[in-house]
Amino acid sequence: QSSNTSMLSVVHTLVLLATASAYSTSPLRKAPPAATKIPNDGGINQQLRKPSDRRAALAHIAALTTALTISNQPAYSTDTTQSQQIGPLEARSFENSLAPPPYGMETSDVFYPTAFQGGWKALSKTVDIIAPCGFDVFTGGKAGYDNAVKTEVTEGNDLEYKARFVTLSGGDNAGGTYVAADREYNAKEIAKAAMGTYSVVDTLVATPNRYSCLLAPPGGTNNLISVDILAIGRKSEPVSSDKFVCSEFVRQIVSPAQKNNPNAPPVPPLSVKEIETISIYDVVGKDKIRCRQRTATFLVPSQTDPLAFKKWQVSQGKAVDVRYYDVTYTRVV
């Protein structure tokens, strides 16, 4: 049990740390509002308060292995007036919207511009962490929030990793091709950089709409963790030849793995959350891309965990954890 809760502390913010923002000024970190007091959770929050640089891994896995889509419709607009307009996705990011995303699955995969094709070195920096609904519904409580800000923002524990984008056949146009993330490669590279060489034990599924893997918790335990990331919403707003905006809304399910006993009865998941990632990409040259990103985490009502259900009620359906990041991609020659 202790190894599972230790791994949960790593997994919770992984989707968040893959994202970044590069706004001219970072959002002000205001003290979160007072929230309804949550009943004693039996020490769960205390067990989840350990800060860890390794929290970054799965976030990047989710962001790069599930679809952060842009449209494959023909031709970016060459209208300079239109290219300066801010669409709904970019507005959600700038305005820090706390409501769940209103869009569904609008495209079948990530359709990256051809400028992405090839190998890249990525550097991700955390800009800000916000607890909009108060500390009681933030994983780890006030201590968890303070530790996250200290280790990820103040101390600047940036994450460097390799990424690769390849040409695939198919897409929404029959007989065509498109540029997509090499999901399995990217996931392993991110995990190696953030959690150690052997952190990803197995990749079970790596498709546009689902990424599933087995993770080895820190400390050498044999109790593996199963992580499923399911795409439930996807939207894009192509702006110009050197800028595009896209968003992915996923459900993340973290459970104890049943690898050693496939006939064992199912066990309740350790964590179920939904995360929206809005990415604003700017191609600044053939060898560099900057990405401004925002993640918003939403709680999911639980039918088996009274504490989780109470936290969901307190959140009133709003985002409980919002993070801004700045990611820079530099081409590997």
Side-chain angles (χ1 to χ4, degrees):
Q1 177 65 28
S2 61
S3 62
N4 284 348
T5 52
S6 175
M7 191 58 185
L8 179 55
S9 68
V10 173
V11 167
H12 170 73
T13 53
L14 292 179
V15 173
L16 308 175
L17 295 182
T19 61
S21 72
Y23 302 114
S24 57
T25 57
S26 62
L28 297 176
R29 186 180 301 110
K30 299 178 180 178
T36 303
K37 188 65 178 176
I38 301 297
N40 188 287
D41 59 5
I44 294 176
N45 276 345
Q46 293 291 339
Q47 296 174 13
L48 295 179
R49 285 175 180 172
K50 232 186 208 177
S52 173
D53 296 346
R54 298 177 179 178
R55 292 183 178 185
L58 195 58
H60 290 281
I61 291 175
L64 290 178
T65 60
T66 60
L68 293 177
T69 255
I70 64 167
S71 174
N72 66 335
Q73 299 303 313
Y76 291 101
S77 170
T78 57
D79 184 339
T80 57
T81 301
Q82 179 179 347
S83 68
Q84 300 303 316
Q85 295 177 349
I86 295 179
L89 288 180
E90 199 165 357
R92 278 181 65 83
S93 179
F94 278 116
E95 297 169 4
N96 194 22
S97 174
L98 302 181
Y103 51 84
M105 296 286 285
E106 297 190 1
T107 54
S108 61
D109 196 355
V110 180
F111 299 99
Y112 289 95
T114 55
F116 265 84
Q117 188 171 18
W120 300 84
K121 180 178 70 174
L123 175 65
S124 176
K125 297 175 179 286
T126 307
V127 175
D128 202 18
I129 303 175
I130 305 167
C133 295
F135 299 128
D136 284 332
V137 292
F138 191 94
T139 295
K142 178 65 163 59
Y145 173 84
D146 289 341
N147 284 331
V149 170
K150 178 183 176 183
T151 59
E152 299 165 22
V153 181
T154 307
E155 296 178 356
N157 290 321
D158 305 332
L159 188 69
E160 294 186 49
Y161 57 92
K162 293 189 289 185
R164 188 166 68 191
F165 297 83
V166 297
T167 299
L168 300 179
S169 58
D172 287 348
N173 295 326
T177 61
Y178 66 98
V179 175
D182 187 337
R183 294 176 180 85
E184 188 166 359
Y185 172 86
N186 291 345
K188 289 180 179 178
E189 289 300 316
I190 291 161
K192 279 175 17 180
M195 298 178 66
T197 303
Y198 304 107
S199 53
V200 176
V201 177
D202 193 12
T203 300
L204 307 175
V205 181
T207 69
N209 296 335
R210 181 180 179 186
Y211 180 84
S212 298
C213 69
L214 291 176
L215 295 180
T221 176
N222 292 324
N223 296 325
L224 302 181
I225 298 295
S226 172
V227 179
D228 282 306
I229 300 171
L230 311 174
I232 56 179
R234 187 180 298 138
K235 183 178 177 60
S236 64
E237 294 171 353
V239 178
S240 68
S241 59
D242 56 6
K243 179 179 179 180
F244 64 94
V245 183
C246 56
S247 182
E248 171 102 324
F249 191 37
V250 302
R251 175 167 289 198
Q252 176 188 276
I253 305 170
V254 182
S255 307
Q258 301 287 334
K259 188 174 182 180
N260 295 328
N261 186 4
N263 297 321
V267 296
L270 299 172
S271 172
V272 180
K273 291 182 173 64
E274 293 178 347
I275 302 114
E276 180 191 34
T277 301
I278 298 175
S279 304
I280 305 169
Y281 293 97
D282 287 289
V283 179
V284 296
K286 67 183 183 66
D287 296 327
K288 182 171 288 188
I289 297 172
R290 291 195 179 101
C291 185
R292 297 162 286 172
Q293 291 180 326
R294 170 193 182 264
T295 56
T297 297
F298 300 85
L299 302 180
V300 175
S302 173
Q303 302 300 317
T304 59
D305 185 342
L307 177 63
F309 185 80
K310 178 64 176 177
K311 289 185 175 182
W312 171 77
Q313 287 182 314
V314 169
S315 74
Q316 298 181 333
K318 298 177 182 178
V320 298
D321 186 329
V322 176
R323 307 196 182 199
Y324 288 87
Y325 303 87
D326 180 3
V327 181
T328 301
Y329 296 90
T330 303
R331 186 178 297 279
V332 177
V333 179

